[in-house]
Amino acid sequence: MSIVTVQLGQCGNQIGFEVFDALYTDSHCPQGLCSKRENEAYQASCKERFFSEEENGVPVARAVLVDMEPKVTSQTLSKAAQSGRWKYGQHSCFCQKQGSGNNWAYGYSVHGPRHEESIMNLIQKEVEKCDSLSGFFIIMSMAGGTGSGLGAFVTQNLQDQYSNSLKMNQIIWPYGTGEVIVQNYNSILTLSHLYRSSDALLVHENDVLHKICAKLMNIKQISFSDINQVLAHQLGSVFQPTYSVEGSCHYRRNPLGDLMENLVPHPEFKMLGIRNIPQMSENSLAYSTFTWAGLLKHLRQMLISNSKMEEGIDWQVRPPLPGLPTLGKASLNRGLHFNMSIANLVILRGKDVHSADLGGFKDSALYTSWLEPINAFNAWKTHRAFSKYEKSAALVSNSQFLLKPLDTIVGKAWNMFASKAYIHQYTKFGMEEEDFLDSFTLLEQVVASYCNL
């Protein structure tokens, strides 16, 4: 089954390029540590998901590119074409001459309705090329104007027109220090609208990606391209093919459906995060060896201590003992120590993958009381190594990991709203104060629900 990717705004288009490039590079990597037949099946499965029939032997990404300024989309199209390995379709791009000026309301209320027909027609043409549609993967930022406002509008339209297809939004959480003065408004409006129309929100925080580049990849001068490559690696480690069942040689047909089924048991809880191990520079990799026991011990501790990377893990954090009130119910101000999960999916790739012991993730103390570990935990595996790593593990988790950043962003937006700062920039494009209040109400409910796990 195929996934149609919708890349929105500068951020969405730049990340989209890196994601397709990482998927292509990995699937054509000669040293996959598996038999030729397995490698060919892996390649074919990746291609069916993300690329359509080749024009002159060059695979075409199943993607629609949307931006309100032409610069980034034309750079993205030519970068892909120049690679000579894969490209975007000739008629897969929609752009205009005037951006959204970092104003969510302008993207949502002006650009959205004005260009709805053209954008939805492009998406429909892409859908018609799929033999079978798994769903939509929508890549966008939540702090700017086009990606966030237009992204929320397009997601809503997809929900209306393709109500039976799954929609997963990949959203980029802005730097805490701030890139845009109104980023907190844009963020709460984006999140609250997506919560109503998307099936799952896969969240990456810029601050975390930046730290991974600095501390694990040893990059001295970090660019957005570096950050996007780390993100693309993480997404690839989740979306590349894995076996459908233990011991099988058949790859999963419906990656989005399987992800949702495993990770989103209730519509109130749809925030997902990814952690990867190992992540390191090529130079360090040459001197490193890994065991599944070591990788999984670190990954489990990263989960329960809410550590986003293997450096700086707090090894003091332990799951609560049965019968004691969990620290998860502690007030946000005291800081969350133990990260309670609703559902976790571990994806293992590489050598001796079937010897890996995942017992540590089946501990009922890690999960909320209303879901048994047998339903809350899943593992996907393949012998085929991913990227340059002989063994690698990814963890996609629906947990309390975003509670603090979410509470912070809602608090900052509320403080601005209470003093009516910048509200006029939104109301002049048809938004009302009531719309802000609805967003605050919905997100405070999300915070409360995750807090009370």
Side-chain angles (χ1 to χ4, degrees):
M1 293 178 89
S2 305
I3 297 171
V4 170
T5 300
V6 183
Q7 306 177 180
L8 286 141
Q10 175 178 347
C11 174
N13 281 297
Q14 290 174 336
I15 290 168
F17 168 80
E18 297 294 356
V19 169
F20 281 108
D21 207 53
L23 293 167
Y24 181 91
T25 304
D26 169 64
S27 65
H28 287 77
C29 177
Q31 66 272 41
L33 301 179
C34 60
S35 70
K36 189 172 177 222
R37 190 170 64 91
E38 270 182 304
N39 214 23
E40 283 168 358
Y42 181 89
Q43 257 178 30
S45 179
C46 170
K47 188 176 155 196
E48 181 196 19
R49 285 175 186 193
F50 292 104
F51 296 94
S52 59
E53 268 315 300
E54 309 179 353
E55 290 179 23
N56 318 328
V58 180
V60 180
R62 297 185 190 274
V64 172
L65 296 77
V66 179
D67 200 2
M68 293 299 113
E69 295 172 290
K71 186 178 163 193
V72 172
T73 45
S74 60
Q75 282 173 350
T76 307
L77 290 170
S78 66
K79 223 170 148 185
Q82 283 164 12
S83 76
R85 305 181 308 162
W86 63 276
K87 64 180 181 182
Y88 288 105
Q90 260 178 317
H91 308 293
S92 62
C93 176
F94 178 84
C95 66
Q96 293 295 292
K97 296 283 183 279
Q98 179 195 12
S100 306
N102 288 325
N103 187 320
W104 189 93
Y106 197 70
Y108 184 83
S109 306
V110 178
H111 282 318
R114 187 181 289 165
H115 305 302
E116 174 183 353
E117 197 178 332
S118 308
I119 294 170
M120 295 314 289
N121 282 344
L122 275 185
I123 292 172
Q124 188 182 337
K125 282 180 185 149
E126 206 50 58
V127 167
E128 284 165 0
K129 292 182 202 165
C130 304
D131 290 341
S132 173
L133 179 69
S134 175
F136 298 95
F137 187 56
I138 303 135
I139 308 178
M140 56 193 271
S141 138
M142 66 178 203
T146 299
S148 61
L150 185 61
F153 183 87
V154 168
T155 306
Q156 218 163 295
N157 267 299
L158 289 172
Q159 175 59 13
D160 295 341
Q161 292 187 27
Y162 301 92
S163 54
N164 294 331
S165 297
L166 293 164
K167 285 148 288 288
M168 178 181 271
N169 290 68
Q170 159 63 51
I171 50 180
I172 306 304
W173 200 275
Y175 282 106
T177 49
E179 303 152 61
V180 177
I181 189 99
V182 289
Q183 69 176 29
N184 298 312
Y185 281 165
N186 293 340
S187 297
I188 61 147
L189 292 164
T190 305
L191 287 170
S192 58
H193 279 73
L194 293 183
Y195 232 81
R196 297 183 190 108
S197 51
S198 178
D199 295 294
L201 312 184
L202 191 54
V203 178
H204 275 90
E205 297 166 78
N206 264 338
D207 288 307
V208 171
L209 295 167
H210 199 100
K211 268 188 197 157
I212 290 172
C213 287
K215 298 204 166 143
L216 301 183
M217 312 306 281
N218 296 325
I219 300 168
K220 296 289 175 273
Q221 299 212 305
I222 298 164
S223 66
F224 275 117
S225 178
D226 295 321
I227 286 174
N228 294 343
Q229 281 168 22
V230 167
L231 199 159
H233 174 88
Q234 294 198 344
L235 292 175
S237 72
V238 172
F239 282 108
Q240 283 292 53
T242 51
Y243 297 133
S244 50
V245 288
E246 187 85 34
S248 145
C249 282
H250 297 289
Y251 286 109
R252 283 174 189 281
R253 291 296 318 281
N254 184 4
L256 276 185
D258 292 344
L259 268 173
M260 307 289 188
E261 189 185 322
N262 289 171
L263 290 164
V264 189
H266 189 288
E268 184 74 19
F269 303 98
K270 48 175 80 166
M271 300 275 208
L272 308 180
I274 303 179
R275 291 172 175 81
N276 277 73
I277 189 167
Q279 287 186 108
M280 56 177 57
S281 66
E282 295 270 5
N283 298 347
S284 312
L285 191 60
Y287 305 102
S288 310
T289 52
F290 303 102
T291 64
W292 285 119
L295 289 174
L296 293 170
K297 181 183 176 185
H298 279 75
L299 194 60
R300 181 180 186 270
Q301 195 62 25
M302 283 161 71
L303 168 69
I304 64 179
S305 65
N306 199 14
S307 221
K308 309 286 169 40
M309 56 183 189
E310 65 261 42
E311 188 166 306
I313 296 175
D314 183 349
W315 290 94
Q316 304 304 309
V317 180
R318 290 274 173 274
L321 295 166
L324 290 177
T326 69
L327 284 172
K329 295 194 175 71
S331 75
L332 275 168
N333 301 339
R334 292 217 311 267
L336 290 173
H337 301 294
F338 169 69
N339 179 38
M340 177 70 78
S341 297
I342 292 170
N344 289 310
L345 166 67
V346 170
I347 302 165
L348 304 180
R349 301 175 182 276
K351 197 175 173 189
D352 305 326
V353 72
H354 295 302
S355 67
D357 176 9
L358 290 159
F361 287 92
K362 298 174 184 173
D363 178 355
S364 60
L366 303 190
Y367 299 96
T368 176
S369 55
W370 47 266
L371 217 55
E372 291 294 318
I374 191 162
N375 300 316
F377 175 72
N378 283 279
W380 298 355
K381 299 175 184 177
T382 174
H383 293 298
R384 171 63 158 71
F386 177 65
S387 185
K388 57 198 178 193
Y389 299 109
E390 183 184 65
K391 296 184 177 85
S392 63
L395 168 68
V396 192
S397 96
N398 186 343
S399 69
Q400 294 174 319
F401 80 106
L402 257 187
L403 256 181
K404 225 171 166 184
L406 180 57
D407 196 56
T408 303
I409 244 171
V410 171
K412 284 180 176 173
W414 179 256
N415 289 342
M416 282 174 67
F417 182 74
S419 59
K420 300 279 187 277
Y422 301 102
I423 295 289
H424 64 285
Q425 293 191 7
Y426 292 77
T427 52
K428 70 181 180 190
F429 296 117
M431 278 190 71
E432 300 191 6
E433 291 190 13
E434 202 61 36
D435 297 322
F436 280 95
L437 291 171
D438 286 349
S439 294
F440 285 121
T441 306
L442 187 146
L443 293 178
E444 277 163 4
Q445 178 56 52
V446 172
V447 168
S449 299
Y450 272 105
C451 214
N452 292 323
L453 284 177

